[in-house]
Amino acid sequence: DTAVSQTPKYLVTQMGNDKSIKCEQNLGHDTMYWYKQDSKKFLKIMFSYNNKELIINETVPNRFSPKSPDKAHLNLHINSLELGDSAVYFCASSQDSSGGANEQFFGPGTRLTVL
Amino acid sequence: AQSVTQPDIHITVSEGASLELRCNYSYGATPYLFWYVQSPGQGLQLLLKYFSGDTLVQGIKGFEAEFKRSQSSFNLRKPSVHWSDAAEYFCAVGARSNDYKLSFGAGTTVTVRA
């Protein structure tokens, strides 16, 4: 069974489009995260939700909007896609909001390419 | 705010040889330290972590890391690498004072030659 799953695995789209990436975890964790990994493999946290509540919101354009319908799901919606949004997006989860103290489990990533 | 430096961008090692990956962190108090591995096309997997106590920690896949406060380092080691260890390795630091957010280093690419 996949612990943290993301769909789609690959996403190719045109500039200006709106797209969503979905994430689901079956670990029973309370906290979920979105990370962006750029072309140089640098990983940076974007958002974190604990029990459907936003707890970390880094400096991210407001074109990016996370949504957590329940604590097992954290989706990422991106409006008006730009070339610079091309990256690999990772979803992760941890047992609670002390994510720095508990292991974060990562999904396989979604490679977004904006043309 | 905490930060992490991985000085080596790319390391090539022969199969069976030992491996050491360097990680230096910047943080005033005792941090939470992690090493993650990312195989090609995959997500990140935790190798080991340090919170407190014994400064030498054992992880999965035969890896270990040693926390040295005086050097602000958390270097990862493996005595004998296997071809399957070829991957990207990330050191990360978290801190209670920073809402436990993880800050990742830039990563070290490990190539294993036969």
Side-chain angles (χ1 to χ4, degrees), chain A residues 34-89:
Chain A
W34 276 110
Y35 286 86
K36 179 180 180 180
Q37 186 177 46
D38 63 23
S39 59
K40 296 184 178 176
K41 298 195 175 179
F42 182 66
L43 262 168
K44 186 170 171 56
I45 190 166
M46 301 172 68
F47 301 103
S48 172
Y49 268 74
N50 177 258
N51 269 322
K52 302 193 295 175
E53 182 181 339
L54 182 66
I55 56 172
I56 293 175
N57 184 356
E58 291 296 283
T59 307
V60 175
N62 57 16
R63 297 182 295 103
F64 290 79
S65 53
K67 285 189 172 49
S68 182
D70 56 63
K71 74 174 191 178
H73 296 84
L74 180 62
N75 304 324
L76 183 65
H77 188 76
I78 316 170
N79 289 328
S80 303
L81 278 156
E82 299 177 358
L83 294 176
D85 297 332
S86 296
V88 180
Y89 293 84

Side-chain angles (χ1 to χ4, degrees), chain A residues 9 33 35 37 40-45 55-56 58 88 90 97-109, chain B residues 32-34 36 38 41-46 49 51 88 90 94-95 98-102 104-107 109:
Chain A
K9 190 169 176 64
Y33 311 81
Y35 286 86
Q37 186 177 46
K40 296 184 178 176
K41 298 195 175 179
F42 182 66
L43 262 168
K44 186 170 171 56
I45 190 166
I55 56 172
I56 293 175
E58 291 296 283
V88 180
F90 286 100
S97 59
S98 59
N102 284 307
E103 176 182 357
Q104 293 185 25
F105 291 79
F106 284 77
Chain B
Y32 301 105
L33 294 161
F34 305 81
Y36 281 85
Q38 183 181 23
Q42 302 296 316
L44 280 75
Q45 181 183 21
L46 182 70
K49 59 188 178 185
F51 294 160
E88 191 80 19
F90 293 94
N98 198 25
D99 295 326
Y100 298 105
K101 286 185 290 188
L102 283 187
F104 284 84
T109 303

